[in-house]
Amino acid sequence: GENVEQHPSTLSVQEGDSAVIKCTYSDSASNYFPWYKQELGKGPQLIIDIRSNVGEKKDQRIAVTLNKTAKHFSLHITETQPEDSAVYFCAASKSNTGNQFYFGTGTSLTVIP
Amino acid sequence: DVKVTQSSRYLVKRTGEKVFLECVQDMDHENMFWYRQDPGLGLRLIYFSYDVKMKEKGDIPEGYSVSREKKERFSLILESASTNQTSMYLCASSAWGEQFFGPGTRLTVL
């Protein structure tokens, strides 16, 4: 089955700096890669996703890059703000497996004001 | 807005009790999922369902069962709760692509 690894497990940055979280996956058939943000006391919420036919996607301060050859994808947050502090999860999925997601172990991001 | 609700935010049970966790979604999604979330382990899939009365085992089904009698409702059952089932339980639903999560149930088994 699919194995998703996520690094780092914790990340602290100064407000205004950039944050990068990296994930690798094992199954070359995976073709959908969402990123979720989980705030304290809440369920995870999708913040950005990318499909395997695209190398990069951007939404305001958040971007995701995908390298299919190396089987890794990354989340980039620029101009970080204290409200970006949360736990972030990456995931991988294959469209022919009924939308089953394989999640990374999470990154706890702290933005220091 | 898609809404996934879970019956309890916090639950405390005794070892050996039968525990029901309920999840309801209001977007007519075919797919529903139960995960448990533990520090350092991320989200691990327990069971999922593609349709009414249909279920598939995830990565960690041992000690759990599920029921999906109606499309909008997916129940997780702990037949005989044990202390190692103390965890955060998250329900999710999807049509295709994004999974929408509920707020979670923090279960403590004493």
Side-chain angles (χ1 to χ4, degrees), chain B residues 80-94:
Chain B
S80 177
S82 63
T83 54
N84 62 13
Q85 292 179 309
T86 291
S87 187
M88 170 70 83
Y89 290 88
L90 289 163
C91 174
S93 75
S94 74

Side-chain angles (χ1 to χ4, degrees), chain B residues 15-73:
Chain B
T15 301
E17 280 193 80
K18 191 169 186 176
V19 182
F20 292 87
L21 302 182
E22 304 285 340
C23 176
V24 178
Q25 51 96 2
D26 65 359
M27 284 302 292
D28 201 36
H29 285 164
E30 283 76 24
N31 307 316
M32 296 189 74
F33 307 82
W34 274 107
Y35 296 90
R36 65 177 281 176
Q37 181 177 13
D38 300 288
L41 297 178
L43 280 69
R44 293 180 292 166
L45 184 63
I46 304 171
Y47 268 97
F48 58 106
S49 170
Y50 297 144
D51 202 351
V52 175
K53 296 192 186 295
M54 175 274 171
K55 61 185 178 184
E56 290 282 345
K57 292 180 180 179
D59 298 320
I60 51 165
E62 296 79 18
Y64 304 93
S65 62
V66 291
S67 172
R68 193 162 181 205
E69 295 296 318
K70 293 184 178 182
K71 191 175 186 179
E72 67 271 18
R73 188 179 299 269

Side-chain angles (χ1 to χ4, degrees), chain A residues 15 18 21 35 43 49 57-58 62-63 70 72 83 90 92 96:
Chain A
E15 183 177 357
S18 296
I21 302 170
W35 284 90
D49 56 12
K57 185 176 178 180
K58 192 172 182 180
I62 294 173
H72 67 69
E83 52 264 38
C90 62
N96 63 346

Side-chain angles (χ1 to χ4, degrees), chain A residues 25-92:
Chain A
Y25 61 99
S26 60
D27 191 339
S28 56
S30 290
N31 56 12
Y32 175 65
F33 306 92
W35 284 90
Y36 281 81
K37 176 183 181 182
Q38 186 178 25
E39 297 175 336
L40 205 59
K42 297 184 179 180
Q45 190 167 14
L46 182 76
I47 53 171
I48 195 167
D49 56 12
I50 192 167
R51 296 192 181 273
S52 59
N53 58 347
V54 175
E56 184 173 359
K57 185 176 178 180
K58 192 172 182 180
D59 182 4
Q60 298 182 350
R61 296 186 298 108
I62 294 173
V64 57
T65 58
L66 171 65
N67 183 327
K68 285 191 297 182
T69 304
K71 295 205 282 288
H72 67 69
F73 56 113
S74 301
L75 177 71
H76 305 252
I77 306 174
T78 58
E79 300 170 25
T80 54
Q81 301 166 3
E83 52 264 38
D84 294 329
S85 296
V87 178
Y88 291 81
F89 292 97
C90 62

